[in-house]
Amino acid sequence: MKAEEIKKLDAYFKRTFSDKMVVKARPRKDDSAEVYIGEEFLGVVYLDDEDGDRSYNFSMAILDVDL
């Protein structure tokens, strides 16, 4: 993802969920970004650019031990 897309996603997550959320570029990956609350990793946002329609999918795993 380009830096401008990451900034837009960062603003969206902050506005929608929490000011503490941060979206960061992934090393060696250009189709996704990582989402954090502070230093805690939450999940990955994937870019879906199929047929010219851009969308983003957020994937978050919840471990049983965290419940």
Side-chain angles (χ1 to χ4, degrees), residues 10-22:
D10 185 69
Y12 173 81
F13 275 94
K14 282 178 173 26
R15 184 176 63 248
T16 305
F17 300 108
S18 170
D19 287 338
K20 296 178 183 179
M21 294 184 91
V22 179

Side-chain angles (χ1 to χ4, degrees), residues 29-46:
K29 299 280 185 177
D30 62 355
D31 66 341
S32 56
E34 296 177 343
V35 180
Y36 293 83
I37 288 186
E39 296 299 316
E40 177 99 17
F41 175 77
L42 281 184
V44 179
V45 178
Y46 295 96

Side-chain angles (χ1 to χ4, degrees), residues 31-62:
D31 66 341
S32 56
E34 296 177 343
V35 180
Y36 293 83
I37 288 186
E39 296 299 316
E40 177 99 17
F41 175 77
L42 281 184
V44 179
V45 178
Y46 295 96
L47 171 63
D48 183 359
D49 195 9
E50 191 172 315
D51 299 329
D53 293 327
R54 293 177 81 83
S55 64
Y56 303 90
N57 297 307
F58 177 58
S59 178
M60 180 176 123
I62 301 170

